Amino acid sequence: MADSSFDIVSKVERQEVDNALNQTAKEISQRYDFKGVGASISWSGEKILMEANSEDRVKAVLDVFQSKLIKRGISLKALDAGEPQLSGKEYKIFASIEEGISQENAKKVAKIIRDEGPKGVKAQVQGEELRVSSKSRDDLQTVISLLKGKDFDFALQFVNYR
């Protein structure tokens, strides 16, 4: 029998982020507490730009955006938001969406699988993802539950289970 396997990836659905951004922009335009503060959220190249005329308001825009991401099933670990910066009379926050597992993080995950996972489970780093394989599907299920129980500072998804 061939080995069973699955891939560990860190991907974000761009369309879902776009939907969350549009919902946030709509809510900002309608909410009373955002009236007259110049609050906005938009794409700026590959980054997301949030603006308002006070530090508290720009943080509130970020908070609304985070709640929309959560509702759309996107992990906040994928959102890398900076600190509010004063630019003229406006406060701005730049945020980016982190995708892919870095080599360093992939090695950490592979080490956890080797050290704490069942025997006979192999993990190979393949670019920005990690392929985990084993003869036993039960062992693969054990690895998935082991990794779900760990708290990483990046988002993980399990795909291509076969």
Side-chain angles (χ1 to χ4, degrees):
M1 188 177 121
D3 282 3
S4 300
S5 68
F6 68 90
D7 295 333
I8 301 173
V9 296
S10 182
K11 288 192 174 128
V12 176
E13 191 74 37
R14 172 79 180 214
Q15 185 60 49
E16 291 296 333
V17 175
D18 215 31
N19 291 342
L21 188 130
N22 292 335
Q23 286 179 338
T24 303
K26 186 174 182 183
E27 185 169 323
I28 289 169
S29 69
Q30 294 174 345
R31 266 180 46 180
Y32 178 76
D33 58 335
F34 285 116
K35 293 277 187 254
V37 296
S40 68
I41 182 169
S42 62
W43 285 104
S44 173
E46 284 297 305
K47 292 189 179 283
I48 298 162
L49 171 64
M50 291 163 260
E51 297 177 300
N53 65 3
S54 75
E55 190 173 347
D56 290 342
R57 287 295 97 202
V58 79
K59 284 182 178 176
V61 171
L62 176 61
D63 192 46
V64 171
F65 183 55
Q66 288 174 334
S67 70
K68 298 296 180 193
L69 287 175
I70 290 169
K71 283 184 182 169
R72 295 211 149 265
I74 297 171
S75 172
L76 290 183
K77 292 176 182 178
L79 180 71
D80 182 23
E83 288 299 311
Q85 302 164 335
L86 183 61
S87 173
K89 293 182 177 177
E90 295 267 306
Y91 279 89
K92 297 181 178 185
I93 293 179
F94 285 99
S96 60
I97 303 294
E98 302 290 320
E99 286 195 291
I101 302 174
S102 69
Q103 290 290 334
E104 179 183 312
N105 288 336
K107 287 178 183 172
K108 280 184 199 171
V109 174
K111 182 171 175 16
I112 288 172
I113 293 171
R114 249 191 339 271
D115 295 348
E116 300 177 33
K119 299 289 176 242
V121 175
K122 297 183 284 295
Q124 303 112 332
V125 178
Q126 296 179 332
E128 292 190 332
E129 58 184 46
L130 197 66
R131 163 86 30 102
V132 180
S133 57
S134 171
K135 292 201 182 308
S136 164
R137 286 179 163 236
D138 291 342
D139 288 350
L140 293 180
Q141 292 287 349
T142 306
V143 168
I144 290 175
S145 60
L146 168 75
L147 294 176
K148 281 184 177 177
K150 298 285 181 191
D151 187 31
F152 296 106
D153 55 351
F154 52 96
L156 290 181
Q157 291 90 33
F158 306 99
V159 296
N160 296 337
Y161 186 80
R162 54 186 146 207

PDB file of all heavy atoms in Angstrom, residues 132-147:
ATOM      1  N   VAL A 132       3.623  15.909   4.749  1.00  0.00           N
ATOM      2  CA  VAL A 132       3.718  14.923   5.825  1.00  0.00           C
ATOM      3  C   VAL A 132       3.170  13.605   5.288  1.00  0.00           C
ATOM      4  O   VAL A 132       2.071  13.569   4.732  1.00  0.00           O
ATOM      5  CB  VAL A 132       2.905  15.367   7.062  1.00  0.00           C
ATOM      6  CG1 VAL A 132       3.005  14.339   8.171  1.00  0.00           C
ATOM      7  CG2 VAL A 132       3.379  16.724   7.551  1.00  0.00           C
ATOM      8  N   SER A 133       3.950  12.532   5.434  1.00  0.00           N
ATOM      9  CA  SER A 133       3.494  11.242   4.904  1.00  0.00           C
ATOM     10  C   SER A 133       3.737  10.124   5.904  1.00  0.00           C
ATOM     11  O   SER A 133       4.632  10.204   6.751  1.00  0.00           O
ATOM     12  CB  SER A 133       4.195  10.932   3.578  1.00  0.00           C
ATOM     13  OG  SER A 133       5.592  10.941   3.755  1.00  0.00           O
ATOM     14  N   SER A 134       2.910   9.090   5.784  1.00  0.00           N
ATOM     15  CA  SER A 134       3.000   7.939   6.678  1.00  0.00           C
ATOM     16  C   SER A 134       2.239   6.779   6.049  1.00  0.00           C
ATOM     17  O   SER A 134       1.389   6.991   5.181  1.00  0.00           O
ATOM     18  CB  SER A 134       2.386   8.285   8.037  1.00  0.00           C
ATOM     19  OG  SER A 134       2.285   7.128   8.840  1.00  0.00           O
ATOM     20  N   LYS A 135       2.549   5.556   6.481  1.00  0.00           N
ATOM     21  CA  LYS A 135       1.797   4.396   5.995  1.00  0.00           C
ATOM     22  C   LYS A 135       0.399   4.352   6.614  1.00  0.00           C
ATOM     23  O   LYS A 135      -0.543   3.881   6.009  1.00  0.00           O
ATOM     24  CB  LYS A 135       2.561   3.106   6.309  1.00  0.00           C
ATOM     25  CG  LYS A 135       3.840   2.976   5.508  1.00  0.00           C
ATOM     26  CD  LYS A 135       4.296   1.542   5.440  1.00  0.00           C
ATOM     27  CE  LYS A 135       5.593   1.373   4.697  1.00  0.00           C
ATOM     28  NZ  LYS A 135       5.612   1.982   3.382  1.00  0.00           N
ATOM     29  N   SER A 136       0.283   4.877   7.825  1.00  0.00           N
ATOM     30  CA  SER A 136      -0.979   4.812   8.560  1.00  0.00           C
ATOM     31  C   SER A 136      -1.724   6.146   8.522  1.00  0.00           C
ATOM     32  O   SER A 136      -1.169   7.181   8.888  1.00  0.00           O
ATOM     33  CB  SER A 136      -0.697   4.424  10.016  1.00  0.00           C
ATOM     34  OG  SER A 136      -1.805   4.701  10.818  1.00  0.00           O
ATOM     35  N   ARG A 137      -2.978   6.102   8.083  1.00  0.00           N
ATOM     36  CA  ARG A 137      -3.795   7.327   8.092  1.00  0.00           C
ATOM     37  C   ARG A 137      -4.082   7.791   9.520  1.00  0.00           C
ATOM     38  O   ARG A 137      -4.236   8.982   9.775  1.00  0.00           O
ATOM     39  CB  ARG A 137      -5.122   7.085   7.361  1.00  0.00           C
ATOM     40  CG  ARG A 137      -4.942   7.015   5.878  1.00  0.00           C
ATOM     41  CD  ARG A 137      -6.244   6.765   5.163  1.00  0.00           C
ATOM     42  NE  ARG A 137      -6.070   7.115   3.765  1.00  0.00           N
ATOM     43  CZ  ARG A 137      -6.825   7.976   3.117  1.00  0.00           C
ATOM     44  NH1 ARG A 137      -7.842   8.546   3.716  1.00  0.00           N
ATOM     45  NH2 ARG A 137      -6.596   8.252   1.859  1.00  0.00           N
ATOM     46  N   ASP A 138      -4.159   6.856  10.437  1.00  0.00           N
ATOM     47  CA  ASP A 138      -4.397   7.216  11.840  1.00  0.00           C
ATOM     48  C   ASP A 138      -3.252   8.070  12.382  1.00  0.00           C
ATOM     49  O   ASP A 138      -3.473   9.011  13.144  1.00  0.00           O
ATOM     50  CB  ASP A 138      -4.561   5.962  12.704  1.00  0.00           C
ATOM     51  CG  ASP A 138      -5.853   5.220  12.397  1.00  0.00           C
ATOM     52  OD1 ASP A 138      -6.753   5.832  11.783  1.00  0.00           O
ATOM     53  OD2 ASP A 138      -5.946   4.036  12.758  1.00  0.00           O
ATOM     54  N   ASP A 139      -2.014   7.729  11.975  1.00  0.00           N
ATOM     55  CA  ASP A 139      -0.863   8.527  12.396  1.00  0.00           C
ATOM     56  C   ASP A 139      -0.961   9.951  11.859  1.00  0.00           C
ATOM     57  O   ASP A 139      -0.617  10.917  12.547  1.00  0.00           O
ATOM     58  CB  ASP A 139       0.452   7.886  11.927  1.00  0.00           C
ATOM     59  CG  ASP A 139       0.796   6.623  12.720  1.00  0.00           C
ATOM     60  OD1 ASP A 139       0.122   6.369  13.740  1.00  0.00           O
ATOM     61  OD2 ASP A 139       1.732   5.910  12.320  1.00  0.00           O
ATOM     62  N   LEU A 140      -1.447  10.083  10.625  1.00  0.00           N
ATOM     63  CA  LEU A 140      -1.600  11.419  10.047  1.00  0.00           C
ATOM     64  C   LEU A 140      -2.647  12.222  10.810  1.00  0.00           C
ATOM     65  O   LEU A 140      -2.463  13.415  11.060  1.00  0.00           O
ATOM     66  CB  LEU A 140      -1.981  11.330   8.562  1.00  0.00           C
ATOM     67  CG  LEU A 140      -0.909  10.755   7.632  1.00  0.00           C
ATOM     68  CD1 LEU A 140      -1.425  10.725   6.201  1.00  0.00           C
ATOM     69  CD2 LEU A 140       0.382  11.537   7.722  1.00  0.00           C
ATOM     70  N   GLN A 141      -3.737  11.556  11.213  1.00  0.00           N
ATOM     71  CA  GLN A 141      -4.768  12.228  12.012  1.00  0.00           C
ATOM     72  C   GLN A 141      -4.176  12.686  13.352  1.00  0.00           C
ATOM     73  O   GLN A 141      -4.481  13.779  13.837  1.00  0.00           O
ATOM     74  CB  GLN A 141      -5.955  11.286  12.268  1.00  0.00           C
ATOM     75  CG  GLN A 141      -6.749  10.957  11.030  1.00  0.00           C
ATOM     76  CD  GLN A 141      -7.606  12.111  10.557  1.00  0.00           C
ATOM     77  OE1 GLN A 141      -7.785  13.101  11.246  1.00  0.00           O
ATOM     78  NE2 GLN A 141      -8.135  11.989   9.353  1.00  0.00           N
ATOM     79  N   THR A 142      -3.329  11.853  13.930  1.00  0.00           N
ATOM     80  CA  THR A 142      -2.679  12.192  15.190  1.00  0.00           C
ATOM     81  C   THR A 142      -1.797  13.427  15.027  1.00  0.00           C
ATOM     82  O   THR A 142      -1.787  14.312  15.885  1.00  0.00           O
ATOM     83  CB  THR A 142      -1.823  11.000  15.691  1.00  0.00           C
ATOM     84  OG1 THR A 142      -2.646   9.842  15.759  1.00  0.00           O
ATOM     85  CG2 THR A 142      -1.211  11.278  17.044  1.00  0.00           C
ATOM     86  N   VAL A 143      -1.050  13.486  13.903  1.00  0.00           N
ATOM     87  CA  VAL A 143      -0.176  14.635  13.639  1.00  0.00           C
ATOM     88  C   VAL A 143      -1.006  15.906  13.498  1.00  0.00           C
ATOM     89  O   VAL A 143      -0.655  16.959  14.051  1.00  0.00           O
ATOM     90  CB  VAL A 143       0.680  14.395  12.368  1.00  0.00           C
ATOM     91  CG1 VAL A 143       1.365  15.674  11.928  1.00  0.00           C
ATOM     92  CG2 VAL A 143       1.703  13.302  12.624  1.00  0.00           C
ATOM     93  N   ILE A 144      -2.143  15.829  12.774  1.00  0.00           N
ATOM     94  CA  ILE A 144      -2.997  17.005  12.593  1.00  0.00           C
ATOM     95  C   ILE A 144      -3.501  17.504  13.944  1.00  0.00           C
ATOM     96  O   ILE A 144      -3.435  18.698  14.251  1.00  0.00           O
ATOM     97  CB  ILE A 144      -4.178  16.696  11.639  1.00  0.00           C
ATOM     98  CG1 ILE A 144      -3.660  16.516  10.210  1.00  0.00           C
ATOM     99  CG2 ILE A 144      -5.220  17.810  11.685  1.00  0.00           C
ATOM    100  CD1 ILE A 144      -4.717  16.084   9.209  1.00  0.00           C
ATOM    101  N   SER A 145      -3.983  16.598  14.790  1.00  0.00           N
ATOM    102  CA  SER A 145      -4.492  17.035  16.095  1.00  0.00           C
ATOM    103  C   SER A 145      -3.360  17.562  16.984  1.00  0.00           C
ATOM    104  O   SER A 145      -3.565  18.511  17.749  1.00  0.00           O
ATOM    105  CB  SER A 145      -5.268  15.917  16.783  1.00  0.00           C
ATOM    106  OG  SER A 145      -4.456  14.803  16.987  1.00  0.00           O
ATOM    107  N   LEU A 146      -2.152  16.976  16.865  1.00  0.00           N
ATOM    108  CA  LEU A 146      -0.989  17.460  17.619  1.00  0.00           C
ATOM    109  C   LEU A 146      -0.676  18.905  17.223  1.00  0.00           C
ATOM    110  O   LEU A 146      -0.492  19.773  18.084  1.00  0.00           O
ATOM    111  CB  LEU A 146       0.226  16.574  17.335  1.00  0.00           C
ATOM    112  CG  LEU A 146       1.588  17.088  17.802  1.00  0.00           C
ATOM    113  CD1 LEU A 146       1.719  16.951  19.304  1.00  0.00           C
ATOM    114  CD2 LEU A 146       2.713  16.353  17.109  1.00  0.00           C
ATOM    115  N   LEU A 147      -0.668  19.184  15.907  1.00  0.00           N
ATOM    116  CA  LEU A 147      -0.329  20.529  15.433  1.00  0.00           C
ATOM    117  C   LEU A 147      -1.429  21.539  15.730  1.00  0.00           C
ATOM    118  O   LEU A 147      -1.156  22.699  15.993  1.00  0.00           O
ATOM    119  CB  LEU A 147      -0.026  20.499  13.933  1.00  0.00           C
ATOM    120  CG  LEU A 147       1.234  19.719  13.545  1.00  0.00           C
ATOM    121  CD1 LEU A 147       1.394  19.679  12.043  1.00  0.00           C
ATOM    122  CD2 LEU A 147       2.470  20.298  14.212  1.00  0.00           C
TER     123      LEU A 147
END
